[in-house]
């Protein structure tokens, strides 16, 4: 009969910690199994010292999964309308099996352990903040009816947070709306919710009226834009307390600028681009880079160009080109005539995602390693 006694540690505590420290973060099941082996190992792995060292050793957390939204003309027939969640590891989200209503939710944003879902086809526009770890949901209505375009983001609202385990803390939702004026001009406005905390004692909140909150701030001052522009549906990029959205032309889907919202000043503004020529929006992604600066990645043909926006000593920000990469030097390309497409990045890292004729690739722009 096998012994049920807990394992006896024959290694020094420091050596055990060094071994556990090297378990890969995208294979978290090894840490879970180790924590179940004994109370001693559980205490070591759950302690603040080890968790702090683990985050410092591995840097930004891995991508556990991705959420996707289908365009209206390519949406597959779904038996339900729960979020379209595709795991890239063994992690599975906590999706409550209660009714999500008649809304058709799309993934609008994902940050700091939370997902922002929305249904733009319903009036008033319905938004849901969802915690995949616990299943907790909070719903709210958009602060204004939108007749042109919109953008939204969910952010941690805890002061001084390092965003390592803040999914149970307070959060805020930012909503940007573009609307036409009587003179057929376009104006942008922004609203922010007051900090909201999820009630983790009751994870299935959407079925109760208590899950609903509508505590929007007054809108910021209007920013007048050229007519016939829209906010690209890609999630915004969060850098140094500011959100950045791609602003596009309605007629030819060309990138015309970057819309910036500063939470600290409650102000909207426009940022110029490092390229002066007209470019297709799908050839560009914005990035929150590892050095906490705004990045601008552009692919032309099979060449990837990367710029970083830095603040100068004179207080004026400017773009600096920092990387030029020939994609054929690092990725397998079968048909060089097929257009590449940049589809996203991981905030706080130098990792981007690109589609080629052979599929989707993740590229580390520093090490040039890919998967």
């Amino acid at each position: 009969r096998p012994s049920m006694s807990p394992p006896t540690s024959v290694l020094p505590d420091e050596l055990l910690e060094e071994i556990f420290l090297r378990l890969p973060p995208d294979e978290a099941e090894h840490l879970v199994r180790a924590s179940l082996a004994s109370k001693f190992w559980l205490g070591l792995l759950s302690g603040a010292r080890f968790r702090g060292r683990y985050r410092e050793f591995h840097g930004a957390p891995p991508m556990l999964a991705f959420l996707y939204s289908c365009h209206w003309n390519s949406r597959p027939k779904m038996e339900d309308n729960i979020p379209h969640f595709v795991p890239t590891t063994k992690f599975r989200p906590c999706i409550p099996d209660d009714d999500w209503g008649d809304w058709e939710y799309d993934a609008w944003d994902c940050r700091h352990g939370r997902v922002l879902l929305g249904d733009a086809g319903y009036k008033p526009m319905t938004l849901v903040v969802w915690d995949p770890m616990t299943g907790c949901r909070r719903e709210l209505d958009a602060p204004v009816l939108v007749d042109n375009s919109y953008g939204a983001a969910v952010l941690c609202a805890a002061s001084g947070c390092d965003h390592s385990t803040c999914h149970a803390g307070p959060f805020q939702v930012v909503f940007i709306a573009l609307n036409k004026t009587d003179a057929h001009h376009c104006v942008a406005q922004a609203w922010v919710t007051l900090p909201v905390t999820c009630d983790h004692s009751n994870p299935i909140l959407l079925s109760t009226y208590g899950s609903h909150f509508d505590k929007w701030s007054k809108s910021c001052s209007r920013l007048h834009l050229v007519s016939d522009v829209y906010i690209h549906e890609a999630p915004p990029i969060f850098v140094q307390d500011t959100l950045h959205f791609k602003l596009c032309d309605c007629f030819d889907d060309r990138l015309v600028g970057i819309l910036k919202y500063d939470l600290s000043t409650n102000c909207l503004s426009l940022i110029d681009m490092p390229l002066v020529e007209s470019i297709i929006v799908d050839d560009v992604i914005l990035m929150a880079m590892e050095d906490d600066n705004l990045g601008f990645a552009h692919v032309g043909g099979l060449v990837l160009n990367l710029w970083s926006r830095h603040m100068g000593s004179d207080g004026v920000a400017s773009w600096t080109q920092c990387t030029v990469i020939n994609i054929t030097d690092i990725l397998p390309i079968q048909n060089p005539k097929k257009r590449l497409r940049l589809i996203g990045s991981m905030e706080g890292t130098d990792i981007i995602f690109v589609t080629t004729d052979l599929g989707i690739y993740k590229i580390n722009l520093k090490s040039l390693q890919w998967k």
Side-chain angles (χ1 to χ4, degrees), residues 236-251:
I237 298 300
F238 188 58
V239 177
Q240 298 183 11
D241 214 28
T242 58
L243 288 164
H244 303 83
F245 301 81
K246 290 193 291 185
L247 201 61
C248 309
D249 187 277
C250 290
F251 296 107

Side-chain angles (χ1 to χ4, degrees), residues 325-367:
I325 301 172
N326 191 323
I327 298 296
T328 58
D329 293 339
I330 58 174
L331 289 185
I333 302 292
Q334 185 174 2
N335 181 7
K337 295 183 179 180
K338 186 169 182 179
R339 177 171 157 258
L340 301 180
R341 180 169 174 254
L342 299 177
I343 57 175
S345 64
M346 288 178 62
E347 280 193 0
T349 72
D350 290 321
I351 293 175
I352 66 168
F353 298 89
V354 58
T355 61
T356 74
D357 59 322
L358 298 176
I360 300 176
Y361 289 86
K362 179 177 74 171
I363 306 175
N364 187 313
L365 296 178
K366 275 191 172 180
S367 65

Side-chain angles (χ1 to χ4, degrees), residues 6 25-26 39 53 81 85-86 91 134 142 219 226 251 258 263 298 337:
D26 55 353
K39 290 184 178 180
R53 288 196 64 200
N81 57 347
F85 190 96
V86 180
F91 170 75
T134 65
S219 68
V226 296
F251 296 107
I258 301 169
L263 277 80
H298 168 254
K337 295 183 179 180

